Every structure is written in C-alpha cells, then in structure tokens.
Amino acid sequence: MSNKRLKAALFDLDGVVFDTEPQYTVFWGEQCRRYHPEHPGLEHEIKGQTLTQIYDRWFSGNLLKEQPLITERLNAFEQQMSYDFINGFERLIADLRRHQVKTAVVTSSNQPKMESVYRHQPGFRLLFDAILTSEDFERSKPDPDCYLKAAQRLEAQIDECVVFEDSINGLLSGRGAGMKVVGLTTTNPAGRIQSLSDLQIPDYEGVTFEMLSRLILNIEH
C-alpha cells in the first residue's frame, strides 16, 4: 500500500480562484485595439501571460514609452474589478482543510494587485497557508520555479501536490514541476488543455478531497 497522500493544493489566481478572466479580456481588448489594430483578437492570445511577457512581446520598441501609462490604467482597472470566487471554490478549500491538506496561491500577480484582492475579499488570506506572488520567484511561468518553491514552502514532496491552472503557461509550469495538474476550462476549452492536465473541470462543483486523492494515487477518477 502506498504511503503517498495529497498534502498540498496549489492554486493559480485569475481564472482559477477568481472568475476574473472575462474582465481582463475587456481591459486588454481596449489596449490591443488602441495599439495593435492590425492584430484583432490579440487579447485572447496573451491570456495567461505575465505583464512582463506581454510588454516584451507586444509593447516594446516604439511602444516602450507607453508601458507606464498602460500599467497605470491596469492598476486603476484592478482597483475596480470584482473578485468573485469560481463556483465551489470555498467549499473545496473547506474540504481540503478538514483533511489537513495545505493550500497556497501561486500567482504571477504582484503585491499591488494582491492589495486590491485583500480589500475586496477581506477573508482571502485565511483560506491559504501561503501566498506566493511574482516577487517570490525568479522565473515566471511556464518555468516550474514557482510551484517548486510553493511545495518547499508547504513542506510537501512533488508527488504530494496538485496544481490548479487555467492558462497554457500555468499548465506547463505545473507539468514541468512534475506535479499532478487540474486544468480549469475558464480560459481555454477542455480539448486544448487535455494534453497538459490530468483532469479538466469547468469549476469546483463536485470536486472533493477524495477525488483529488485518487488523482495523486493514479486511480481512475
């Protein structure tokens, strides 16, 4: 009998904990139409990328001088965003904690963004044993650095962790860390993330500690 068990659940933030992706699509749609009218739909292509990655690829060169202004607009936008939990999330967290599973947020968001989160959801920090932001790791997703650091912070082995992600870069990060990966279809359709995740879900309704434990033990769910 294997002694392996589910010890840590590691969650990305946008599109995984919060249903914020549609709001970011609105913001980046406005910026992309303003600066890249020649590339319709660009806001969908950059989903899941960090701000640095977006800037380096799409707002460098002649647009470098626009970056501070876009950042200012983004900060103002995030202050006004709504941060609603994905369906079933709080119930899952309660179930995990009843079974002594540690929880962490592992996000490419920075501290100013998290301050907005804390204002809108005052009890947010109480749901997690650790919150890792872009300031806590050297390399952004898809590098696995952030998830490896989270496991270390929670004193969990790689094969005791489940990662929850929605973006391609995030899924690659969890995969690269060697962990089990649950893909949320809040950003990409199930077919697109199937090869990068062990399980695909639209939200957390019906997701339980027992289901995730079977995932860890490689038992058919």
mmCIF file of all heavy atoms in Angstrom, residues 66-67 76 90 95 107 109 140 146 172 194 197 211:
data_model
loop_
_atom_site.group_PDB
_atom_site.id
_atom_site.type_symbol
_atom_site.label_atom_id
_atom_site.label_comp_id
_atom_site.label_asym_id
_atom_site.label_seq_id
_atom_site.Cartn_x
_atom_site.Cartn_y
_atom_site.Cartn_z
ATOM 1 N N GLU A 66 4.945 53.739 -23.824
ATOM 2 C CA GLU A 66 3.540 53.609 -23.423
ATOM 3 C C GLU A 66 3.357 52.692 -22.202
ATOM 4 O O GLU A 66 2.284 52.694 -21.592
ATOM 5 C CB GLU A 66 2.702 53.061 -24.587
ATOM 6 C CG GLU A 66 2.692 53.928 -25.824
ATOM 7 C CD GLU A 66 2.013 55.272 -25.590
ATOM 8 O OE1 GLU A 66 1.022 55.315 -24.829
ATOM 9 O OE2 GLU A 66 2.481 56.276 -26.155
ATOM 10 N N GLN A 67 4.383 51.922 -21.880
ATOM 11 C CA GLN A 67 4.239 50.939 -20.806
ATOM 12 C C GLN A 67 3.807 51.544 -19.470
ATOM 13 O O GLN A 67 2.885 51.015 -18.821
ATOM 14 C CB GLN A 67 5.525 50.131 -20.634
ATOM 15 C CG GLN A 67 5.802 49.160 -21.763
ATOM 16 C CD GLN A 67 7.022 48.289 -21.499
ATOM 17 O OE1 GLN A 67 7.526 48.227 -20.370
ATOM 18 N NE2 GLN A 67 7.505 47.620 -22.529
ATOM 19 N N ALA A 76 -5.453 50.979 -12.078
ATOM 20 C CA ALA A 76 -6.755 51.597 -11.809
ATOM 21 C C ALA A 76 -7.888 50.615 -12.095
ATOM 22 O O ALA A 76 -8.867 50.529 -11.341
ATOM 23 C CB ALA A 76 -6.914 52.858 -12.652
ATOM 24 N N GLU A 90 -14.780 27.783 -2.410
ATOM 25 C CA GLU A 90 -14.705 27.857 -0.946
ATOM 26 C C GLU A 90 -15.090 26.522 -0.301
ATOM 27 O O GLU A 90 -14.505 26.131 0.714
ATOM 28 C CB GLU A 90 -15.608 28.978 -0.431
ATOM 29 C CG GLU A 90 -15.095 30.368 -0.812
ATOM 30 C CD GLU A 90 -16.099 31.449 -0.496
ATOM 31 O OE1 GLU A 90 -17.089 31.566 -1.232
ATOM 32 O OE2 GLU A 90 -15.889 32.178 0.491
ATOM 33 N N ASP A 95 -13.155 21.522 2.487
ATOM 34 C CA ASP A 95 -12.992 20.065 2.454
ATOM 35 C C ASP A 95 -11.523 19.684 2.571
ATOM 36 O O ASP A 95 -11.150 18.781 3.330
ATOM 37 C CB ASP A 95 -13.597 19.527 1.151
ATOM 38 C CG ASP A 95 -13.662 18.000 1.117
ATOM 39 O OD1 ASP A 95 -13.744 17.374 2.200
ATOM 40 O OD2 ASP A 95 -13.640 17.446 0.006
ATOM 41 N N THR A 107 0.821 32.793 -7.875
ATOM 42 C CA THR A 107 0.370 33.680 -8.947
ATOM 43 C C THR A 107 1.485 34.577 -9.470
ATOM 44 O O THR A 107 2.407 34.931 -8.728
ATOM 45 C CB THR A 107 -0.802 34.558 -8.444
ATOM 46 O OG1 THR A 107 -1.178 35.484 -9.471
ATOM 47 C CG2 THR A 107 -0.421 35.352 -7.194
ATOM 48 N N SER A 109 0.758 37.505 -10.317
ATOM 49 C CA SER A 109 0.331 38.846 -9.901
ATOM 50 C C SER A 109 1.310 39.413 -8.881
ATOM 51 O O SER A 109 1.984 38.662 -8.166
ATOM 52 C CB SER A 109 -1.066 38.779 -9.275
ATOM 53 O OG SER A 109 -2.020 38.318 -10.197
ATOM 54 N N SER A 140 9.296 33.335 -14.260
ATOM 55 C CA SER A 140 7.840 33.284 -14.420
ATOM 56 C C SER A 140 7.398 31.996 -15.097
ATOM 57 O O SER A 140 8.183 31.312 -15.759
ATOM 58 C CB SER A 140 7.366 34.479 -15.258
ATOM 59 O OG SER A 140 7.672 35.696 -14.616
ATOM 60 N N CYS A 146 8.095 28.512 -9.653
ATOM 61 C CA CYS A 146 7.114 28.981 -8.671
ATOM 62 C C CYS A 146 6.448 27.822 -7.934
ATOM 63 O O CYS A 146 6.239 27.883 -6.706
ATOM 64 C CB CYS A 146 6.067 29.865 -9.333
ATOM 65 S SG CYS A 146 5.200 29.097 -10.720
ATOM 66 N N LEU A 172 1.827 24.374 -18.203
ATOM 67 C CA LEU A 172 3.200 23.942 -18.493
ATOM 68 C C LEU A 172 4.078 24.029 -17.252
ATOM 69 O O LEU A 172 4.946 23.179 -17.020
ATOM 70 C CB LEU A 172 3.790 24.792 -19.625
ATOM 71 C CG LEU A 172 3.238 24.536 -21.027
ATOM 72 C CD1 LEU A 172 3.705 25.630 -21.984
ATOM 73 C CD2 LEU A 172 3.680 23.163 -21.534
ATOM 74 N N GLN A 194 -6.190 19.375 -22.563
ATOM 75 C CA GLN A 194 -6.254 17.969 -22.155
ATOM 76 C C GLN A 194 -4.877 17.327 -22.064
ATOM 77 O O GLN A 194 -4.590 16.578 -21.127
ATOM 78 C CB GLN A 194 -7.127 17.177 -23.138
ATOM 79 C CG GLN A 194 -7.511 15.800 -22.640
ATOM 80 C CD GLN A 194 -8.664 15.204 -23.430
ATOM 81 O OE1 GLN A 194 -9.074 15.754 -24.451
ATOM 82 N NE2 GLN A 194 -9.183 14.090 -22.968
ATOM 83 N N SER A 197 -2.962 18.459 -18.776
ATOM 84 C CA SER A 197 -3.564 18.314 -17.455
ATOM 85 C C SER A 197 -4.087 16.895 -17.264
ATOM 86 O O SER A 197 -4.423 16.202 -18.230
ATOM 87 C CB SER A 197 -4.684 19.336 -17.258
ATOM 88 O OG SER A 197 -5.587 19.303 -18.346
ATOM 89 N N MET A 211 -11.632 12.798 -4.559
ATOM 90 C CA MET A 211 -11.338 12.807 -5.992
ATOM 91 C C MET A 211 -9.878 13.154 -6.257
ATOM 92 O O MET A 211 -9.200 12.509 -7.065
ATOM 93 C CB MET A 211 -12.255 13.816 -6.703
ATOM 94 C CG MET A 211 -12.000 13.927 -8.194
ATOM 95 S SD MET A 211 -12.864 15.338 -8.944
ATOM 96 C CE MET A 211 -14.561 14.831 -8.737
#
